Amino acid sequence: MTSNLNLAFGGLFAVAALSACNPQTLPNGGQNTRQGAGVGAAVGAVAGLIVADGDDQLRNAALGAAIGAGLGAGVGSILDRQAEELRASLDTSSGAEVIRSGDELIVRMPQDILFEVDSAEIRPDLRNDIIVLSDSLQRYPGTQVTIVGHTDNTGEAAYNQSLSERRAAAVGGDLTFSGVQSFRISTLGAGENSPIASNLSPEGRALNRRVDITIREN
């Protein structure tokens, strides 16, 4: 039992070490890396408890926590680094945003930097951000990409749904054309159903007209 306790404490020490990675060497101060380590440790510990009984539970929980922390920290660090690179490369002055949230990375592009009004065809003079995103996705091949089109509530809901789907598909097609493997990409439209601002003002409606590209580790 004593050896199992020592192993458990050793595993927990490994978790603590991973969670305390030097923030100066990681993007975003390592916040998401530490968060990933914590989540991975918790999941690994629970898994260790489930698959064993008696003294083995303690040993497996410690091992699961250490392994899960390492995996979680790795995912967090990769997405942190990609987020920082995209922030440096995208033309954020045009309204593009890079949002790091939990275990995913969201690149948000307002409609006006991609499409003409009431169009689902990407403007040739505004493809630079798509090319930047494509290059990033090819440098980080271990991710899946979900592209969601959004509209405001102006006009018929059915038309807005169709427009949002066609815009998401246009961005997905452009990424594929630029070199991203098609099996990594899925597209869908949310129409006017997922606003991030009030549709009662022109400014709010402009924010709601957007395409969100969500990047997740496999």
Side-chain angles (χ1 to χ4, degrees), residues 35-114:
Q35 181 182 24
V39 172
V43 172
V46 171
L49 288 171
I50 290 173
V51 300
D53 54 22
D55 290 345
D56 285 341
Q57 282 188 316
L58 191 58
R59 180 177 65 251
N60 286 6
L63 289 173
I67 293 170
L71 293 174
V75 170
S77 179
I78 290 169
L79 290 179
D80 283 344
R81 189 165 290 108
Q82 188 175 14
E84 290 302 314
E85 291 176 2
L86 282 169
R87 289 190 184 104
S89 302
L90 288 172
D91 181 11
T92 53
S93 65
S94 64
E97 293 182 83
V98 179
I99 303 164
R100 183 71 169 87
S101 176
D103 61 351
E104 62 187 29
L105 176 62
I106 302 171
V107 179
R108 176 164 292 159
M109 295 187 176
Q111 165 201 286
D112 295 341
I113 69 171
L114 293 173

Side-chain angles (χ1 to χ4, degrees), residues 123-178:
R123 290 173 50 178
D125 57 321
L126 296 178
R127 290 189 67 246
N128 285 343
D129 282 342
I130 295 293
I131 293 171
V132 167
L133 179 58
S134 172
D135 290 344
S136 175
L137 291 173
Q138 291 177 75
R139 285 197 304 275
Y140 295 90
T143 56
Q144 291 295 122
V145 184
T146 302
I147 303 168
V148 185
H150 300 269
T151 70
D152 61 25
N153 67 347
T154 304
E156 295 291 330
Y159 180 81
N160 289 337
Q161 178 64 35
S162 173
L163 181 62
S164 69
E165 292 170 1
R166 288 184 284 123
R167 284 178 168 171
V171 173
D174 225 37
L175 288 175
T176 300
F177 179 79
S178 299

